[in-house]
């Protein structure tokens, strides 16, 4: 029949009468992507909604002709009982890896999947950069200098989601490797020193064959280029890179070469030629 002649309604904890459909806290459209009048009804359990974990609900399909059909469903509980934390809490930009790890999580609908988010200068789940969901409960990231907040999103097989509390990470600029108290260096040497750290961080991920981590490190580097190109000086103060545009180009070329290297290593080698007759 015509989808325009159908209407869906839900009744149960957190919602009201069938005739009025879904009521309660504000419901984002993402929670019911097909709406209440299409030919099918979809609930996105990963989206915020008025449904109550553990609640039993009645779903009713009505037609303009007066017919109706009903079905019931129960909502499970989201993952719980676990913790997520990051270590170490302090480190140096692009040198020290930070490991995000979740432990002790359980749920009604296994398996569980984990995604890790990073937000600069304060935790904001909506604007955080999230890794793709994966069965691994840990992830290793490299960060540029700054203060970052990291947290995990734990999703079960049914789509129910729990968020961990955020952990703050303090990332310092890489230190100058010298024992001389009156050591001075040129802008070019500063660039080379920073680029060496970038090259090492990217190279580690290429060696491990970790495309997601390579993208994460590359994203952190490009984000930092957009913020500033100044470098801390020994004894305090900062110096703006005189060749900022050239430095940015060198970093982008380095990142591009690592991506090509990763792609080449992931491409299967052609089969060897047949032996001579």
């Amino acid at each position: 029949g015509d989808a325009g002649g159908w209407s869906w309604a839900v009744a149960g904890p957190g919602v009201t009468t069938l005739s009025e459909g879904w009521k309660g806290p504000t419901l984002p459209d993402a929670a019911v992507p097909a709406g209440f009048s299409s030919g099918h009804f979809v609930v996105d359990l990963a989206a915020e909604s008025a449904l109550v974990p553990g609640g039993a609900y009645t779903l009713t399909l009505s037609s303009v002709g007066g017919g109706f059909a009903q079905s019931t469903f129960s909502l499970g509980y989201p993952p719980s009982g676990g913790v997520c934390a990051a270590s170490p809490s302090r480190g140096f930009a692009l040198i020290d890896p930070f490991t995000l790890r979740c432990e002790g999580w359980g749920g009604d609908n296994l398996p569980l999947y984990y995604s890790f988010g990073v937000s600069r200068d304060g935790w904001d789940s909506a604007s955080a950069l999230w890794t793709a969901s994966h069965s691994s409960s840990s992830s290793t990231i490299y960060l540029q200098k700054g203060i970052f907040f990291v947290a995990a999103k734990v999703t079960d097989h049914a789509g129910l989601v729990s968020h961990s509390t955020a952990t703050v990470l303090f990332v310092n600029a890489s230190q100058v490797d010298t024992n001389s108290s009156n050591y001075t260096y040129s802008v070019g040497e500063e660039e080379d020193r920073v680029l060496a750290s970038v090259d090492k961080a990217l190279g580690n991920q290429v060696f491990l064959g970790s495309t997601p981590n390579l993208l994460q490190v590359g994203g952190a580097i490009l984000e930092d280029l957009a913020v500033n190109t100044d470098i801390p000086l020994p004894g305090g103060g900062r110096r703006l890179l005189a060749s900022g545009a050239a430095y940015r180009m060198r970093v982008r070329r380095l990142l591009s070469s690592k991506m090509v290297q990763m792609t080449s290593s992931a491409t299967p080698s052609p089969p060897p030629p047949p032996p001579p007759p």
Side-chain angles (χ1 to χ4, degrees), residues 44-66:
D44 183 358
L45 296 179
E48 179 185 355
S49 74
L51 291 178
V52 177
Y57 295 88
T58 300
L59 176 66
T60 299
L61 172 62
S62 304
S63 70
V64 292

Side-chain angles (χ1 to χ4, degrees), residues 69-122:
Q70 289 184 328
S71 180
T72 60
F73 67 93
S74 297
L75 195 66
Y77 290 93
S80 62
V83 295
C84 299
S87 64
S89 60
R90 296 178 180 271
F92 290 105
L94 299 179
I95 293 178
D96 294 326
F98 295 88
T99 299
L100 317 178
R101 190 181 308 279
C102 293
E103 297 178 334
W105 289 88
D108 294 335
N109 300 284
L110 302 177
L112 301 180
Y113 304 93
Y114 302 85
S115 178
F116 299 91
V118 180
S119 180
R120 183 188 285 270
D121 296 329

Side-chain angles (χ1 to χ4, degrees), residues 208-222:
L208 295 173
S210 177
T211 300
N213 281 0
L214 177 63
L215 295 175
Q216 184 275 316
V217 175
I221 293 168
L222 293 177

Side-chain angles (χ1 to χ4, degrees), residues 57-190:
Y57 295 88
T58 300
L59 176 66
T60 299
L61 172 62
S62 304
S63 70
V64 292
F68 72 93
Q70 289 184 328
S71 180
T72 60
F73 67 93
S74 297
L75 195 66
Y77 290 93
S80 62
V83 295
C84 299
S87 64
S89 60
R90 296 178 180 271
F92 290 105
L94 299 179
I95 293 178
D96 294 326
F98 295 88
T99 299
L100 317 178
R101 190 181 308 279
C102 293
E103 297 178 334
W105 289 88
D108 294 335
N109 300 284
L110 302 177
L112 301 180
Y113 304 93
Y114 302 85
S115 178
F116 299 91
V118 180
S119 180
R120 183 188 285 270
D121 296 329
W123 176 246
D124 184 351
S125 177
S127 63
L129 298 177
W130 292 92
T131 65
S133 291
H134 195 273
S135 59
S136 175
S137 60
S138 66
S139 180
T140 298
I141 61 174
Y142 289 82
L143 298 169
Q144 278 283 7
K145 61 181 177 294
I147 300 175
F148 296 88
F149 288 74
V150 296
K153 181 165 52 179
V154 187
T155 307
D156 69 11
H157 193 61
L160 294 170
V161 178
S162 291
H163 290 82
S164 75
T165 56
T167 301
V168 62
L169 302 177
F170 299 92
V171 187
N172 299 318
S174 301
Q175 292 180 325
V176 178
D177 185 16
T178 175
N179 294 321
S180 174
S181 59
N182 61 352
Y183 176 74
T184 59
Y185 46 92
S186 67
V187 169
E189 288 173 331
E190 293 172 3

